[in-house]
């Protein structure tokens, strides 16, 4: 058998790759009906261009002919780049952070994989609030761990009591993602404190302290004056993983980092382990060129108010059509409830919307059965044009009753 049975069964399972498949079907539909007749909300690929500072920096660095500037560097990344990421994290977390806490990574996905390889042993568990970014299941499984899905509260905030109840001696980490993909929720300072308190209590009782892993690629994309609260001041064994995929619109450049809380009791060991796992996973180091770009431009900003405008527009359209949704506080995803006629079958709702050339992602893949995700990082024009399709889709449903 040429392919591992596990990979084969995962690849061919109903939910695997459903978002990618939808994206590819979208390309076909666009060929058939024309770009402006297909409303593709399937994938979180930022449509805003990177900031001008990034283009200028790329141009400047491309002219560099200094020796070894495209060569290997230490597996953790360039020391000067680690120092810049430490400065960024310090500003976000409000505590002093040194370059020795940072390991550069191949995006947030590479950061999560290097970290999980470093901290998960066979049989360990990672707890996550559901719904969650669908790839987490694979990332945890890659290292012999199990992702334990703990349903969020009805408003999609953290259910701290349920998370606490799910912790046991096999719990290696609790993984949070704020602003959240797919719900757009930002967890409040109060909730983060409660979670940290519950994890401390568990550690005292059980003798094993889980890491609090904060996946934050959407940190900068927050609306209505909201901010993402820091975790380092409230929990010592916390690790931030992030990237420049969404805030600087650079997903294809695969650049991110891991930052371990300077107060983490086993900080040096975790950092050393992540440096080692970066190497043995075959990443070797984060892309050299974009490490240097990130070091110079991390503070640049895309105009995130354009995403807020898109959010408001799509909410208006969904309200007009009569599709229930939550109000995202950050990121660029809209979490919508499948109308009751679908009886919780989100896949059927996605298939139904496809008939109106609306492409979405079924919530089941995110551990959120009965809901769908619309990625509104698409042009405002496309959102505007989708109005009639959404309205007709729901009207036809009602008429068919
Ligand atoms: N984490 C979350 C919550 C995401 O939504 C994504 C990408 O969509 C990633 C991690 C992976 O990000 P990157 O492209 O930086 O690897």
């Amino acid at each position: 058998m040429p392919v591992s049975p596990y990979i084969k069964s995962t690849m061919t399972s109903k939910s695997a790759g459903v978002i990618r498949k939808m994206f590819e079907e979208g390309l076909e539909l666009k060929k058939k009906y024309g770009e402006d007749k297909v409303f593709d909300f399937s994938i979180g690929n930022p449509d805003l261009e990177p900031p001008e500072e990034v283009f200028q920096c790329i141009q400047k660095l491309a002219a560099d002919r200094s020796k070894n500037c495209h060569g290997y560097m230490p597996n953790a990344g360039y020391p000067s780049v680690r120092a810049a990421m430490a400065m960024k994290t310090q500003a976000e977390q409000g505590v002093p952070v040194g370059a020795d806490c940072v390991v550069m990574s191949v995006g947030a996905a590479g950061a999560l994989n290097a970290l999980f390889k470093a901290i998960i042993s066979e049989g360990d568990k990672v707890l996550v609030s559901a719904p969650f970014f669908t790839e987490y299941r694979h990332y945890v499984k890659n290292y012999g761990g199990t992702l334990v899905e703990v349903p969020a509260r009805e408003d999609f905030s953290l259910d701290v009591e349920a998370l606490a109840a799910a912790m046991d001696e096999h719990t290696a980490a609790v993984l949070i993602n704020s602003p959240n993909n797919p719900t757009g929720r930002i967890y409040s300072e109060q909730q983060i404190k409660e979670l940290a308190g519950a994890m401390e209590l568990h550690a005292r009782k059980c003798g094993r302290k889980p890491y609090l892993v904060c996946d934050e690629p959407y940190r900068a994309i927050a609306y209505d004056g909201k901010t993402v609260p820091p975790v380092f001041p409230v929990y010592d064994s916390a690790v931030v993983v992030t990237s420049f995929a969404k805030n600087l619109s650079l997903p294809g450049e695969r650049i991110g980092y891991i930052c371990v809380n300077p107060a983490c009791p086993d900080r040096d060991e975790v950092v050393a382990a992540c440096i080692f796992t970066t190497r043995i996973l075959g990443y070797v180091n984060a892309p050299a060129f974009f490490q240097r770009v990130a070091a110079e431009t991390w503070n640049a900003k895309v105009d995130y108010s354009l995403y807020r405008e898109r959010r408001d527009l799509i909410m208006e359209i969904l309200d007009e059509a009569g599709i229930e949704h939550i109000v995202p506080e950050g990121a660029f995803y809209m979490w919508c409830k499948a109308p009751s006629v679908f009886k919780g079958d989100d896949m059927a709702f996605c298939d139904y919307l496809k008939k109106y050339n609306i492409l979405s992602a079924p919530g089941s893949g995110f551990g959120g059965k009965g809901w769908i995700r619309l990625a509104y990082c698409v042009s405002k024009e496309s959102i505007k044009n989708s109005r009639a399709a959404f309205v007709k889709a729901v009207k036809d449903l009602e008429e068919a009753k």
Side-chain angles (χ1 to χ4, degrees), residues 66-223:
S66 60
K67 195 163 164 41
N68 202 34
C69 75
H70 297 289
Y72 291 126
M73 82 295 301
N75 298 116
Y78 293 109
S80 60
V81 177
R82 295 173 74 195
M85 298 306 114
M87 206 193 311
K88 173 178 180 289
T89 312
Q90 181 166 311
E92 292 166 354
Q93 296 289 328
V95 297
V97 178
D100 54 352
C101 297
V102 175
V103 181
M104 297 307 295
S105 68
V106 182
L112 284 163
N113 275 275
L115 179 66
F116 287 159
K117 176 87 179 154
I119 64 172
I120 292 176
S121 303
E122 194 71 36
D124 273 350
K125 297 175 185 170
V126 172
L127 309 188
V128 72
S129 178
F132 55 89
F133 176 46
T134 153
E135 302 294 68
Y136 289 161
R137 282 197 194 101
H138 303 296
Y139 298 168
V140 172
K141 180 91 180 163
N142 280 346
Y143 311 106
T146 307
L147 188 74
V148 178
E149 302 174 25
V150 179
R153 287 199 198 137
E154 213 166 292
D155 64 355
F156 297 103
S157 61
L158 295 174
D159 188 337
V160 176
E161 290 78 28
L163 283 163
M167 290 173 208
D168 64 18
E169 71 277 19
H170 302 293
T171 308
V174 176
L175 170 59
I176 59 171
N177 164 226
S178 173
N180 182 268
N181 174 9
T183 66
R185 261 288 168 268
I186 293 178
Y187 305 131
S188 70
E189 192 178 347
Q190 180 61 25
Q191 281 229 298
I192 297 294
K193 278 191 184 148
E194 283 169 14
L195 176 61
M199 290 173 73
E200 291 285 359
L201 191 66
H202 165 74
R204 276 202 295 279
K205 277 200 231 152
C206 143
R208 179 176 186 184
K209 190 163 195 175
Y211 294 99
L212 175 57
V213 179
C214 308
D215 181 24
E216 311 196 325
Y218 303 96
R219 169 179 271 277
I221 309 171
Y223 310 120

Side-chain angles (χ1 to χ4, degrees), residues 33 41 48 53-54 138 140 149 161-162 172 186 213 222 224 228 247 272 289 293 296 370 373 382:
Y33 297 106
F41 301 106
L48 301 179
E53 292 96 311
V54 170
H138 303 296
V140 172
E149 302 174 25
E161 290 78 28
I186 293 178
V213 179
D224 308 325
V228 178
N247 62 334
F289 189 83
V293 173
E296 291 196 27
R373 187 195 75 173
S382 182

Side-chain angles (χ1 to χ4, degrees), residues 250-329:
L250 296 170
E253 301 300 351
R254 315 304 307 133
I255 187 72
Y257 62 91
I258 300 164
C259 184
V260 182
N261 190 348
C264 181
D266 50 5
R267 175 193 78 186
D268 293 344
E269 201 174 40
V270 178
V271 171
C274 290
I275 296 171
F276 179 67
T277 55
T278 295
R279 195 187 100 205
I280 65 168
L281 283 170
Y283 303 142
V284 182
N285 56 251
F289 189 83
F290 266 82
Q291 281 194 48
R292 300 202 297 276
V293 173
E296 291 196 27
T297 61
W298 61 265
N299 213 10
K301 284 175 183 54
V302 170
D303 183 359
Y304 306 121
S305 70
L306 297 171
Y307 287 136
R308 200 208 53 238
E309 281 175 20
R310 288 155 161 77
R311 177 197 71 164
D312 293 347
L313 182 60
I314 196 154
M315 285 202 296
E316 185 193 301
I317 292 170
L318 293 171
D319 290 342
E320 183 182 332
I323 296 175
E324 194 181 326
H325 61 86
I326 78 158
V327 179
E329 298 166 298

Side-chain angles (χ1 to χ4, degrees), residues 41-59:
F41 301 106
S42 62
I43 197 165
N45 200 8
D47 75 304
L48 301 179
E49 286 303 309
E52 187 50 33
E53 292 96 311
V54 170
F55 287 112
Q56 282 174 14
C57 182
I58 290 170
Q59 214 160 17

